[in-house]
Amino acid sequence: MAWVRPLAPITPVGIGALAWPHLKPIFQAIAAKAPDGAPCCDWVGEGGAGHFVKMVHNGIEYGDMQLISEVYHTFRDGVGYSDDEQSEIFAQWNKGVLDSFLIDITTDILRYKDTDGQPLLEKIRDAAGQKGTGKWTAISALDYGMPVTLIGEAVFARCLSSIKEERVRASKILAGPANSKFTGDKAQLVKDFEQAMYASKIISYAQGFMLMREASEQYKWNLNYGSIALMWRGGCIIRSAFLGDIKNAFDSNKSLENLLFDPFFQKATATAQSGWRNAICTATTIGIPVPALSTALSFYDGYRTARLPANMLQAQRDYFGAHTYELEAKPGTFVHTNWTGRGGNVHASTYDA
Ligand code: 3PG
């Protein structure tokens, strides 16, 4: 009997990579296509990379939906636009930088009438469900130490919505601003919110790619970010014209550190920021919650700040817990100060969660 060389053990990781060349033509033939005909299906990476990327896709989906909901809320309760008027606004937006599946279905939802001729949307209970992929993304963000704040806020906004009875009780006793209606230039406000939504989406996608990059580095996935953006351009809930710009950014610089460093997105956020700030000021002044829009702006302002106030946090941690701190002039060297002159000369070990 001929000696048969034993096969190297095939791990689940290896099986995927071996199978892909055979499956690729089948999957790509039946996959959704981007507007330029490219199939929205590709090999993402070894060992669960595809699942992780799909999870982040869903987290971004939560963020996009929350942004749309915040605009709808401000327009409905702060400005007094009818659902039909909002449908027109979203339809216009769908012809510009916000062109996407979710904006498109929002125009349909806003104009859909129940059998009595009234907007069905206004009869739907304002308590959101969730199957968990947004929550997983937020948990991963905490685990990997990445500030994916917009998706986190989108998950928490669903949690807040679901405690409906408690909110109804609170609505009867907690004071809001004296003036809860917008009285300024409505056309300008619509423009401001379009910019606010666009800039916030840029931040959300930048945060999602930050999370994927961190996981990719830890697991050596070698993710191709341009190809991920391409896969999301068609056949999925977050598909949008804007993903083409993200693909271009990663195609023109394969080692792009952050989407916000790309010249196109630098310019886009710079151009949008005045409307973005006005929109958030307006909503805040009239008491409409805009957690996703405002966390995006806070992230943007934090990310572009060379010196954040974390020196204060470090001093406080060292004061109450002897956790030590680094001096700006000597990064990597941890020291402790006896801030009160009392107690012994001890300090806690240095570790980070
Ligand atoms: C989806 O349909 O895209 C996901 O299942 C998200 O569903 P969820 O909003 O219930 O989490």
Side-chain angles (χ1 to χ4, degrees):
M1 188 177 145
W3 179 76
V4 180
R5 188 172 170 223
L7 291 170
I10 298 178
T11 63
V13 168
I15 287 171
L18 290 172
W20 174 243
H22 303 282
L23 296 172
K24 180 178 173 179
I26 303 168
F27 284 0
Q28 291 196 337
I30 59 173
K33 307 290 183 296
D36 59 6
C40 298
C41 166
D42 208 347
W43 172 252
V44 170
E46 300 279 359
H51 287 291
F52 194 90
V53 168
K54 165 60 173 150
M55 178 192 74
V56 175
H57 162 282
N58 277 35
I60 289 174
E61 171 186 313
Y62 273 53
D64 283 357
M65 293 165 76
Q66 177 61 25
L67 289 169
I68 292 171
S69 302
E70 290 174 13
V71 174
Y72 155 69
H73 189 183
T74 312
F75 284 179
R76 184 191 66 188
D77 293 353
V79 183
Y81 278 134
S82 69
D83 286 14
D84 280 334
E85 285 171 319
Q86 287 207 52
S87 180
E88 284 302 315
I89 293 166
F90 280 99
Q92 283 307 315
W93 286 2
N94 206 32
K95 295 179 185 154
V97 289
L98 295 173
D99 174 1
S100 62
F101 170 76
L102 282 168
I103 295 281
D104 192 30
I105 67 166
T106 300
T107 66
D108 284 352
I109 289 168
L110 282 161
R111 67 166 169 254
Y112 191 92
K113 302 291 183 296
D114 200 0
T115 45
D116 61 0
Q118 297 305 308
L120 177 61
L121 178 62
E122 302 313 322
K123 298 181 179 181
I124 296 177
R125 186 175 165 86
D126 56 323
Q130 50 178 314
K131 295 207 173 67
T133 43
K135 183 174 80 173
W136 301 342
T137 312
I139 291 170
S140 291
L142 290 171
D143 282 344
Y144 291 106
M146 282 295 113
V148 186
T149 61
L150 196 145
I151 296 172
E153 287 292 354
V155 175
F156 285 131
R158 290 194 190 195
C159 298
L160 180 61
S161 80
S162 71
I163 50 170
K164 166 87 176 175
E165 289 82 5
E166 200 173 320
R167 285 189 292 109
V168 170
R169 286 194 293 282
S171 72
K172 298 191 174 110
I173 56 168
L174 299 181
N179 187 357
S180 60
K181 296 290 172 213
F182 176 72
T183 51
D185 179 342
K186 289 186 184 180
Q188 184 56 50
L189 191 71
V190 169
K191 286 188 190 143
D192 288 347
F193 268 93
E194 184 180 19
Q195 293 304 305
M197 173 119 67
Y198 180 47
S200 300
K201 263 177 79 103
I202 294 172
I203 297 300
S204 184
Y205 285 64
Q207 292 181 343
F209 278 87
M210 286 167 78
L211 178 58
M212 288 190 288
R213 176 177 297 281
E214 184 62 26
S216 178
E217 276 171 18
Q218 290 202 22
Y219 290 104
K220 311 275 179 273
W221 282 335
N222 194 24
L223 293 182
N224 179 339
Y225 303 104
S227 141
I228 291 168
L230 174 71
M231 276 192 293
W232 292 349
R233 277 177 65 204
C236 64
I237 291 173
I238 65 169
R239 67 179 181 261
S240 66
F242 153 86
L243 279 159
D245 299 322
I246 298 183
K247 179 176 163 18
N248 293 341
F250 284 111
D251 280 354
S252 58
N253 180 0
K254 295 264 182 280
S255 52
L256 185 64
E257 189 177 2
N258 189 300
L259 206 51
L260 296 170
F261 286 144
D262 174 73
F264 176 88
F265 287 107
Q266 259 179 58
K267 186 159 175 252
T269 44
T271 308
Q273 70 164 315
S274 157
W276 193 9
R277 292 181 195 282
N278 286 341
I280 290 166
C281 283
T282 300
T284 307
T285 305
I286 60 177
I288 308 277
V290 285
L293 288 164
S294 52
T295 196
L297 183 55
S298 287
F299 174 88
Y300 178 72
D301 283 335
Y303 192 66
R304 61 175 195 84
T305 297
R307 185 160 164 78
L308 285 169
N311 50 325
M312 173 59 87
L313 298 178
Q314 288 296 81
Q316 290 168 334
R317 292 176 68 237
D318 191 54
Y319 186 112
F320 64 65
H323 291 299
T324 74
Y325 58 86
E326 293 164 285
L327 285 170
E328 193 80 86
K330 283 193 192 167
T333 304
F334 287 83
V335 294
H336 166 61
T337 293
N338 184 344
W339 296 87
T340 61
R342 296 192 302 272
N345 190 21
V346 293
H347 61 81
S349 61
T350 52
Y351 68 91
D352 271 322

